[in-house]
Amino acid sequence: MDYMTLKEASEKWGISSRQVNYYCVEGRIPGAVKIAGVWLIPKDAEKPIDGRRKNIL
């Protein structure tokens, strides 16, 4: 399985690397693992839905 770093995920999803870190800590990214203090995220992982916002149409 291929992995990407927090920085790569943040660039791919258009959010800050800090927000990606929060998603990892909260367990919201399936398959994310922390090895030697570095989060590794599967390349095929989907961006979690931001629960702070509501979609108003």
Side-chain angles (χ1 to χ4, degrees):
M1 179 180 284
D2 289 332
Y3 291 96
M4 59 184 162
T5 63
L6 287 177
K7 183 178 179 185
E8 292 169 335
S10 69
E11 291 170 358
K12 178 180 176 182
W13 295 337
I15 58 176
S16 69
S17 58
R18 187 69 180 145
Q19 188 63 41
V20 177
N21 185 65
Y22 286 136
Y23 289 151
C24 292
V25 170
E26 293 171 356
R28 294 181 57 193
I29 302 175
V33 293
K34 190 172 189 179
I35 298 176
V38 178
W39 282 103
L40 298 176
I41 302 161
K43 286 202 180 228
D44 60 351
E46 297 289 325
K47 177 184 173 187
I49 297 172
D50 188 349
R52 300 173 298 166
R53 299 181 185 214
K54 292 184 178 181
N55 290 337
I56 300 173
L57 300 176

